[in-house]
Amino acid sequence: MNAATTPDDRAVAVIRGLVMDTIERAGSGHPGAALALAPWGYALYRRVLRANPRNPLWPDRDRVVFSAGHVSALQYALLHLSGHPVSLEDLRSFRTLGSATPGHPEHGRTPGVEATTGPLGQGFATAVGMALAERYLAHRFNRPGRPVVDHRTFVLVSDGDLMEGVSQEALSLAGQLRLGRLVVCYDSNQVTIDGTTALTFDQEDQEGRFAASGWAVEHVRDTEDTAALTAALARAGRGTDRPTLLILHTTIGHPVESIRGTPAAHGGTLGPEVVARTKAAIGLDPARHFDVPEDVRADLDLGQAGAEAEKTWRERFEQWSRTFPELREEWDRCHREAASGVPVTLDAAAMNREASPRNASRAALEQLRDRLPTMVGGAADLVDSTKTSFPGEAVYTAAAPGRNIAFGVREHVMATAVNGLALHGGMVKPYGSTFLAFSDYMRPAVRLSALMRLPVLWLWTHDSIAIGPDGPTHQPVEHLASLRAIPGLWVMRPCDANETAQAWQAALARADGPVALILARQVLPNLPETGARAEGVTRGGYVLWEPSRPPSVVLLAAGSEVHPALAAAKRLEEDGLPARVVSLPCWELFEHQDAAYRESVLGPDGLPRLAVEAASPLGWHRWTGPAGAVLGMTGYGASADGATLLAHYGFTAERVAEEARRVHAAATAPATPTREDR
């Protein structure tokens, strides 16, 4: 191993020194890939990347996603050296509470980090979404000789990323749609935590795999050669409509002799003696820590070059704005609403003509078609069933990027790409849809949408056993409880078209996180009561119906089960048991209301409550209280028509009334005398 002899070698050595110091100071981390990829990082950030560290959110910057999120120490070192507001003190605080340098990259925490990554494969698929956005916006806003959207998306992936199933979905979709500005840099070091890839991943021809899906593929055999890396990166994503795979043949752990090429290089610290020996071998002073010589800092700082690149773009952008003022107005509105939410009032009357929440949701999309020109989305090969396309709009294809995206049967990449669409900027409320039972395929990405607080929409239809003959494989039971457990995700289950209109408006207005609209397929008549009070949806829950006398029991329900609950309440009043009906379409919003409002809806703690939902009862007891009960699904459904199933499992007015009487009787029964009372 030779000490650094050229400016490039010296800069790479300094990057490696920062990586070692950062991980050693933290006492944990992943040094192997971070060290081996230092030349790649130098070539990308110093020679190729168009970014302005003084304005990391410049709209036409190149995007960089570390799907191999465990390589975060390298990313933070590169951000620091390139002039982003990531300090040496931030590097010293790696993996500590509240720091700007968490163990895996987190969007919104570190300037220059484009996406939260760490679960392998997610960053790759997220980058596909960013490339989808770039191509759509370029098609919409660019004019001949006046490009204002013209950048590339680079993503670093590992062997582990490409083992994940979502990677196959991602490369397939990107190739199908010819996302030519997407560049995947594959760290092919042939090592995983459990051993070499000979155990798990050496039978696939990765070049053939990508090429078969329409990708251009190039190899970089000597990944210490910064000139070769620079040339390959500069070519990638230029002059082709095919996405590019760069296969980087690295040696994990290089240049640390004791661990290079072994699984031991993946995670952990090197120890002070190994760090000292390695620093000395690559020309660094072992006694100095977090040391950045001024010539290296000056070499890597993108401040001036980035500012000049942005200045050139802004001059072009202003010329474009003067020539196309209507496009500029649309650009500003889309970028503003993508970040701050959409203050829109839907025509509820038009939606009320529909006979189910699913179809009412379709009417909402019809109204939004012209109002939100950069709102795009689609379904996982179920658009005719979920009713989630913009009528009259084109499909996104290799030939032209329409706003209706045919994701195919690829739920996982659909969800992750929707995250990427939102992260890109300028795309208002991107969405993905499928049957609620298949939301399981999307869950990792849905969780990350909440973690990143992305303003995306998840439209899930066919929401209960009421879908009928397709049987229990397609009938969601545990899904609502599972989704409600995700922090930051609003789960909204409207009961009719009136509530659907309000739910859509609340979802569009939210700027700080994702919203799931859970939409019944079956016919559900619009209730006069929701027409009069549905604005309560925006508070998560409200009194839908009040009996003529003070209530003796409260019936809580969400979605389609509001209907039998309301019918039961009216029957109970006729029988002399006054029952209040509460529609609770969004627990998360209801929880955010003050205690006084919640009590005004639920009644005092001693008032018996019965919750009704054709789903797992898990979670409902927080609203029913200790004196209440839940009528829900305790097992899976069956194959029969929907009406038969609802009756079989007890979701009828008769059964709800029966359970309400039982709950009321149990709550008002005289207490059994204790031994002391006797």
Side-chain angles (χ1 to χ4, degrees):
M1 191 186 313
N2 298 319
T5 57
T6 69
D8 284 14
D9 292 339
R10 181 170 163 80
V12 169
V14 169
I15 294 169
R16 284 170 164 155
L18 286 179
V19 167
M20 290 186 284
D21 288 342
T22 297
I23 293 172
E24 202 66 22
R25 175 70 172 262
S28 65
H30 300 84
L35 290 168
L37 286 164
W40 166 84
Y42 173 78
L44 177 62
Y45 276 77
R46 173 63 183 86
R47 307 294 188 197
V48 176
L49 194 66
R50 282 200 326 147
N52 183 4
R54 297 171 187 168
N55 182 17
L57 298 180
W58 163 37
D60 203 36
R61 69 194 181 278
D62 289 337
R63 273 68 171 173
V64 179
V65 177
F66 276 55
S67 188
H70 55 280
V71 190
S72 59
L74 173 62
Q75 185 172 26
Y76 300 146
L78 292 167
L79 290 171
H80 168 72
L81 291 169
S82 60
H84 287 78
V86 177
S87 67
L88 284 176
E89 188 56 37
D90 290 327
L91 299 186
R92 293 187 182 97
S93 301
F94 182 51
R95 290 178 160 237
T96 61
L97 182 64
S99 78
T101 50
H104 290 82
E106 295 181 26
H107 169 69
R109 182 175 291 277
T110 313
V113 168
E114 299 282 1
T116 297
T117 59
L120 292 175
Q122 290 293 305
F124 181 4
T126 299
V128 170
M130 292 178 180
L132 285 168
E134 188 276 340
R135 186 160 175 251
Y136 180 84
L137 293 172
H139 181 77
R140 184 160 192 91
F141 291 110
N142 289 353
R143 293 297 180 267
R146 299 289 177 85
V148 291
V149 181
D150 183 20
H151 55 265
R152 291 180 287 174
T153 300
F154 296 91
V155 56
L156 174 67
V157 305
S158 62
D159 288 302
D161 285 286
L162 296 190
M163 291 185 207
E164 292 285 358
V166 70
S167 73
Q168 180 60 39
E169 296 184 24
L171 73 91
S172 175
L173 183 65
Q176 178 72 29
L177 297 181
R178 295 286 189 174
L179 300 180
R181 309 310 299 278
L182 176 64
V183 181
V184 171
C185 302
Y186 167 32
D187 175 26
S188 178
N189 62 37
Q190 301 180 348
V191 168
T192 66
I193 297 174
D194 286 350
T196 70
T197 53
L199 293 173
T200 55
F201 199 53
D202 71 346
Q203 296 302 301
E204 296 178 28
D205 174 4
Q206 297 306 317
E207 178 177 355
R209 176 188 179 195
F210 277 77
S213 291
W215 287 62
V217 181
E218 183 172 348
H219 293 261
V220 180
R221 303 285 179 183
D222 182 358
T223 52
E224 293 295 298
D225 185 344
T226 55
L229 287 162
T230 299
L233 288 165
R235 285 190 299 269
R238 300 287 192 193
T240 179
D241 64 351
R242 294 191 294 166
T244 299
L245 175 71
L246 294 182
I247 302 179
L248 311 175
H249 296 271
T250 65
T251 299
I252 192 170
H254 180 79
V256 182
E257 291 291 349
S258 59
I259 61 169
R260 65 191 305 273
T262 71
H266 175 79
T269 59
L270 301 176
E273 293 183 359
V274 173
V275 169
R277 285 199 303 270
T278 305
K279 282 185 176 182
I282 61 177
L284 302 180
D285 183 349
R288 300 181 69 88
H289 305 288
F290 295 96
D291 183 41
V292 181
E294 287 305 315
D295 60 323
V296 172
R297 187 178 298 281
D299 178 38
L300 274 162
D301 192 337
L302 292 180
Q304 182 176 350
E308 289 175 355
E310 181 177 353
K311 180 175 180 290
T312 300
W313 176 81
R314 290 202 177 277
E315 290 171 352
R316 186 169 67 246
F317 183 71
E318 291 305 321
Q319 293 172 355
W320 170 85
S321 300
R322 288 191 294 271
T323 308
F324 308 105
E326 292 182 356
L327 283 177
R328 171 61 187 272
E329 182 181 352
E330 180 182 304
W331 171 286
D332 288 344
R333 186 178 72 251
C334 292
H335 280 78
R336 180 177 63 252
E337 292 180 342
S340 62
V342 183
V344 64
T345 300
L346 297 173
D347 181 357
M351 297 177 67
N352 289 349
R353 290 194 290 269
E354 302 294 344
S356 74
R358 174 193 63 169
N359 291 353
S361 178
R362 175 183 59 187
L365 285 172
E366 290 175 358
Q367 295 181 44
L368 295 170
R369 179 182 58 190
D370 298 329
R371 172 65 177 79
L372 302 177
T374 66
M375 183 180 187
V376 304
D381 201 45
L382 286 171
V383 71
D384 286 340
S385 294
T386 59
K387 311 297 183 187
T388 49
S389 64
F390 288 101
E393 294 284 348
V395 175
Y396 201 124
T397 67
R403 62 193 301 191
N404 292 320
I405 304 176
F407 287 104
V409 189
R410 304 184 184 97
E411 291 91 350
H412 197 168
V413 76
M414 173 181 69
T416 315
V418 165
N419 288 346
L421 285 161
L423 285 165
H424 181 278
M427 308 298 289
V428 179
K429 295 293 178 181
Y431 65 88
S433 69
T434 187
F435 294 172
L436 180 57
F438 302 151
S439 65
D440 285 341
Y441 288 122
M442 303 166 61
R443 188 177 180 85
V446 173
R447 181 176 185 268
L448 283 182
S449 75
L451 182 59
M452 290 187 278
R453 304 177 67 174
L454 297 180
V456 300
L457 299 180
W458 309 118
L459 308 178
W460 289 313
T461 66
H462 297 61
D463 72 336
S464 76
I465 58 171
I467 67 171
D470 281 337
T473 59
H474 286 52
Q475 294 165 2
V477 171
E478 73 278 18
H479 299 74
L480 284 168
S482 174
L483 292 166
R484 286 166 176 157
I486 297 177
L489 174 67
W490 290 2
V491 180
M492 308 189 79
R493 188 171 182 242
C495 74
D496 64 3
N498 292 323
E499 284 198 351
T500 302
Q502 294 292 326
W504 257 102
Q505 289 177 183
L508 290 167
R510 188 180 189 195
D512 63 350
V515 179
L517 297 182
I518 312 298
L519 305 165
R521 182 193 66 174
Q522 70 268 30
V523 172
L524 295 172
N526 291 314
L527 299 170
E529 293 82 1
T530 60
R533 301 187 181 188
E535 69 278 358
V537 171
T538 62
R539 304 189 75 172
Y542 63 103
V543 176
L544 178 70
W545 191 76
E546 195 78 299
S548 57
R549 293 182 291 134
S552 297
V553 66
V554 178
L555 305 180
L556 312 174
S560 52
E561 287 69 65
V562 167
H563 295 259
L566 180 60
K570 294 177 179 179
R571 178 172 300 188
L572 288 168
E573 181 159 52
E574 292 175 358
D575 294 343
L577 180 61
R580 170 186 292 175
V581 179
V582 170
S583 178
L584 205 63
C586 183
W587 295 8
E588 297 78 22
L589 278 172
F590 190 65
E591 185 177 27
H592 290 160
Q593 307 306 308
D594 60 51
Y597 177 78
R598 293 199 302 269
E599 183 172 337
S600 74
V601 172
L602 299 176
D605 286 342
L607 190 61
R609 304 167 191 154
L610 171 68
V612 184
E613 189 170 48
S616 168
L618 186 66
W620 272 106
H621 289 91
R622 68 188 295 190
W623 308 119
T624 64
V630 183
L631 175 57
M633 291 288 296
T634 57
Y636 295 109
S639 180
D641 67 86
T644 298
L645 291 174
L646 290 171
H648 176 74
Y649 290 105
F651 298 102
T652 63
E654 294 80 6
R655 175 67 186 282
V656 173
E658 176 186 338
E659 289 297 309
R661 294 188 191 97
R662 184 187 64 78
V663 170
H664 177 262
T668 57
T672 302
T674 65
R675 184 181 302 273
E676 291 75 11
D677 292 333
R678 296 192 190 99

